Amino acid sequence: MSPSVIVHAAVFTAGALLGGGIATAVASKKVTQPVAAVPVPVCPAPVVVVDDFGKASISKEMSITSSLPSVLKHGNPGPVTDLLLRQAYAAGYDRRLRHPSWTAEHLTAASLGRSAITPPSEDAGDRSKSAFIEDRSIPAIFRAKLQDYFRSGYDRGHMVPAADAKISQEAMNETFLLTNIAPQVGDGFNRHYWAYLEDWCRRLTGTFQDVYVFTVPLYLPRKDIDGKWRVTHEVIGTPPNVSVPTHFAKVVLTTKPKSPSNPDILELSSGAFVLPNAIIPDEAPLESFVVPIEAVERAAGITLFSEAMKSTSKHICQSTKCEIIVRRFDDAQKKARKAIAAPRS
C-alpha cells in the first residue's frame, strides 16, 4: 500500500442503473444569466486523506471548473447536486428529490467529546437549542420546506445525526437544515433501529482512530407479481415536493494503527448496510443488512472508495462486533414529544 491512502468519494450527476442484485438481496431480508460563457458549476468529491501519521480529514477543496460549451452559452441546466460544506460534514443535495443524495462525516473520539486527552468544547452543541430550518442557500424553487413535512406521516430524519456534531452549537444547528434531512418512518425506524445504527457508528470511535461515515438515501426496485421490476415511492408536501426514499445506506470506513510497534501503518476496515425505510424489529441482527459497498455505489450512482481501497480493507464485521445496542432514546420524551408543528407564515 502506498505511504498515504487517498479515499475518493466521487459523486457523479448521472445515476447508474441498478440491476436486480441488491434489490433481491435487500428484499429477501423480510422486516416489518449573460450570453457570455461562464464556468460550469461542478460538485467535486470529498476526498478523505489519511497521511503517514494517521492524520485524516475530508478535503474541502473545490475542483477546477471548465468553461461551458457553446451549445450551453445561453443557459446551464446544472448542477443537479449542490455541494454543501458544513463544520461537521459534507453533503451533496439533490434538487430533484429535495433531500441529500449523500452525506459524509469524519468521526473521532475527540470530535464526539469522548476523548480522555482532549476536553470537550466549551461551545459544545445543545440539541434543545437547535430547530429545523429551511436552507436558504438553495434556490427556493428547489428547496425542501418545513410545510412539506407537516402532517406527512414521516419524521424529519437526520442523515448526519445531531449527536455527531457536538463540536459547537453552530455545527449542531447545521444538522437541522432541511438539506440534511430526508423523510423517514418514525416509530420502529428513525427513532429506534436507525438511531441504534447511528449509535453503533459513534461507538466505533472507541476502537478505531478515525471513522468515516457515508449516509446514502436509496430508491430500490421491487419485483411485482408480473415479474417486472419497478421503483415506486411516495412524495410528500403540498404540492408534492420531497421524495421518500425506499431505503437508506450507511457505509463506514475505519482506520487504526496496525500494531503498537508500527503506529504509522494503518489497518483499514469498511462495510455497508442497507436498511428499508420501514419498521424494523429491535431483535433484527445488524449483519442481516450487510451488502457489498459496490451495491450501494451502483444503486446511488456514486463511487465512494477506489478499487484498491476496497480490495485492501477488511470487512468491518471482522474487525469489530456488528451488533447494535437497543436503547429507547425517545422513551423518556414520549409524553413530551410534540407533533411536527405547522410552519409559521
Side-chain angles (χ1 to χ4, degrees), residues 211-233:
V211 178
Y212 297 93
V213 183
F214 296 83
T215 304
V216 186
L218 296 173
Y219 293 82
L220 301 183
R222 293 182 59 181
K223 193 173 185 179
D224 285 342
I225 57 175
D226 61 1
K228 296 182 179 180
W229 293 83
R230 295 181 175 88
V231 177
T232 58
H233 64 89

Side-chain angles (χ1 to χ4, degrees), residues 5 8 15 17 20 28 37 106 109 117 146 159 162 165 173 203 214 222 224 239 243 303 309 322 327-328 340:
V5 182
H8 291 282
L17 292 176
S28 65
H106 174 203
I117 302 174
L146 294 170
M159 299 296 94
N173 290 346
R203 287 190 286 111
F214 296 83
R222 293 182 59 181
D224 285 342
S243 296
T303 302
M309 176 63 59
C322 286
R327 294 175 177 170
R328 289 281 174 163
I340 297 177

Side-chain angles (χ1 to χ4, degrees), residues 188-200:
F189 187 66
N190 177 51
R191 305 171 204 170
H192 300 113
Y193 205 96
W194 184 251
Y196 311 153
L197 178 55
E198 293 172 332
D199 174 65
W200 177 79

Side-chain angles (χ1 to χ4, degrees), residues 172-199:
M172 182 168 287
N173 290 346
E174 288 177 340
T175 69
F176 284 82
L177 289 165
L178 292 190
T179 43
N180 180 50
I181 303 298
Q184 290 186 323
V185 169
D187 280 323
F189 187 66
N190 177 51
R191 305 171 204 170
H192 300 113
Y193 205 96
W194 184 251
Y196 311 153
L197 178 55
E198 293 172 332
D199 174 65

Side-chain angles (χ1 to χ4, degrees), residues 44-48 57-63 83-90 174:
V47 179
V48 181
S57 63
I58 295 178
S59 171
K60 294 185 178 181
E61 294 182 2
M62 304 294 285
S63 63
L83 178 65
L84 307 173
L85 302 176
R86 311 299 190 194
Q87 286 193 18
Y89 66 94
E174 288 177 340

Side-chain angles (χ1 to χ4, degrees), residues 53-320:
F53 304 100
K55 184 178 180 181
S57 63
I58 295 178
S59 171
K60 294 185 178 181
E61 294 182 2
M62 304 294 285
S63 63
I64 299 174
T65 60
S66 59
S67 296
L68 283 170
S70 60
V71 70
L72 296 178
K73 68 180 181 179
H74 296 296
N76 176 16
V80 175
T81 300
D82 295 277
L83 178 65
L84 307 173
L85 302 176
R86 311 299 190 194
Q87 286 193 18
Y89 66 94
Y93 178 74
D94 191 311
R95 294 182 173 191
R96 181 174 63 91
L97 302 174
R98 291 173 176 78
H99 62 60
S101 54
W102 54 268
T103 62
E105 47 183 324
H106 174 203
L107 303 180
T108 65
S111 73
L112 296 174
R114 299 179 178 182
S115 172
I117 302 174
T118 306
S121 168
E122 294 182 0
D123 184 35
D126 180 348
R127 187 185 179 111
S128 67
K129 297 179 181 178
S130 299
F132 290 100
I133 188 172
E134 297 172 14
D135 191 339
R136 299 194 178 277
S137 71
I138 303 298
I141 191 173
F142 303 123
R143 191 184 303 160
K145 297 177 173 60
L146 294 170
Q147 181 68 40
D148 293 329
Y149 285 86
F150 180 55
R151 293 181 178 174
S152 68
Y154 291 95
D155 280 6
R156 294 169 289 201
H158 286 73
M159 299 296 94
V160 174
D164 290 5
K166 293 183 177 180
I167 55 174
S168 70
Q169 188 61 49
E170 182 180 354
M172 182 168 287
N173 290 346
E174 288 177 340
T175 69
F176 284 82
L177 289 165
L178 292 190
T179 43
N180 180 50
I181 303 298
Q184 290 186 323
V185 169
D187 280 323
F189 187 66
N190 177 51
R191 305 171 204 170
H192 300 113
Y193 205 96
W194 184 251
Y196 311 153
L197 178 55
E198 293 172 332
D199 174 65
W200 177 79
C201 291
R202 286 189 290 273
R203 287 190 286 111
L204 291 176
T205 61
T207 303
F208 301 98
Q209 180 174 279
D210 294 281
V211 178
Y212 297 93
V213 183
F214 296 83
T215 304
V216 186
L218 296 173
Y219 293 82
L220 301 183
R222 293 182 59 181
K223 193 173 185 179
D224 285 342
I225 57 175
D226 61 1
K228 296 182 179 180
W229 293 83
R230 295 181 175 88
V231 177
T232 58
H233 64 89
E234 191 174 346
V235 182
I236 62 172
T238 306
N241 286 306
V242 182
S243 296
V244 181
T246 64
H247 296 73
F248 290 91
K250 285 281 188 190
V251 182
V252 298
L253 172 71
T254 64
T255 71
K256 67 177 180 180
K258 195 152 191 166
S259 68
S261 59
N262 294 296
D264 294 339
I265 300 177
L266 298 177
E267 179 181 282
L268 305 176
S269 301
S270 60
F273 307 85
V274 172
L275 283 63
N277 190 8
I279 296 173
I280 300 177
D282 286 351
E283 58 271 18
L286 180 56
E287 288 195 54
S288 68
F289 300 106
V290 169
V291 301
I293 292 175
E294 293 85 351
V296 175
E297 292 176 324
R298 186 178 183 189
I302 63 178
T303 302
L304 292 169
F305 312 131
S306 67
E307 291 303 318
M309 176 63 59
K310 286 180 280 193
S311 64
T312 56
S313 65
K314 298 171 61 176
H315 195 277
I316 189 67
C317 295
Q318 296 176 337
S319 301
T320 191

